[in-house]
Amino acid sequence: MAALLALLCGGASAATSDATALKHGEEVYGRCLACHAIEQNRTGPAHCGLFGRKAGTAPGYASYSAALKNSGITWNEATLSKFLADPMNTVPGTNMTYLGVTDAKERADLIAYLKQATQAGKACQLAK
Ligand code: HEC
């Protein structure tokens, strides 16, 4: 019986933890809203279409640092995790003067949220 309960609870928590992770990730993204939006360039570049895009190439964003443009990074889970953990040491000379998201769980949830929220044409449109 205990095993069955564990099984049931285990299954349920896997499903809810996904939704919880995305919700938590959206909350963590709240810290980025001072400078970023998904669909618009602000102080920082728009994030719509981020995954698979080369660093420094968000359409219409003119204020990139040479450091980021020349970083050779393509954005995916791994490169985002490294950059967001410590932006200024990962890309020395970046204009993103932000200390980063040091907590690995917060970062993972943030990236899971970003992956979903930045699917160009599906989840978001770039403002013209
Ligand atoms: C203080 C303002 C500020 C905050 C806060 C900030 N950013 Fe940035 N971000 C920038 C700027 C400015 C750039 C452009 C950096 C450059 O050109 O070197 C940037 C660049 C980026 C890039 C690279 C995008 C590209 O098109 O190559 C990503 C990804 C990013 N930020 C994610 C985040 C996330 C996620 C957060 C929140 C955890 C965050 N940023 C918080 C200002 C900020």
Side-chain angles (χ1 to χ4, degrees):
M1 188 61 196
L4 181 64
L5 267 180
L7 206 74
L8 287 172
C9 296
S13 78
T16 36
S17 69
D18 247 27
T20 310
L22 290 177
K23 179 125 194 6
H24 181 228
E26 185 172 9
E27 278 165 30
V28 177
Y29 191 67
R31 298 175 205 165
C32 320
L33 295 178
C35 300
H36 287 281
I38 301 280
E39 308 202 349
Q40 275 157 31
N41 294 318
R42 299 184 57 214
T43 303
H47 285 146
C48 189
L50 184 67
F51 282 73
R53 189 160 74 200
K54 286 194 73 181
T57 62
Y61 183 78
S63 316
Y64 280 115
S65 63
L68 189 67
K69 277 200 287 195
N70 298 331
S71 65
I73 294 172
T74 298
W75 295 120
N76 58 36
E77 281 94 338
T79 54
L80 281 170
S81 184
K82 187 157 189 274
F83 176 67
L84 293 175
D86 190 356
M88 293 184 283
N89 282 313
T90 306
V91 179
T94 180
N95 294 337
M96 180 158 141
T97 46
Y98 180 71
L99 285 176
V101 178
T102 49
D103 185 280
K105 167 83 174 123
E106 286 187 348
R107 221 162 51 240
D109 289 353
L110 170 65
I111 291 167
Y113 164 72
L114 279 175
K115 188 164 191 189
Q116 197 184 62
T118 63
Q119 287 181 41
K122 253 175 139 180
C124 60
Q125 305 283 336
L126 271 181
K128 295 262 153 52

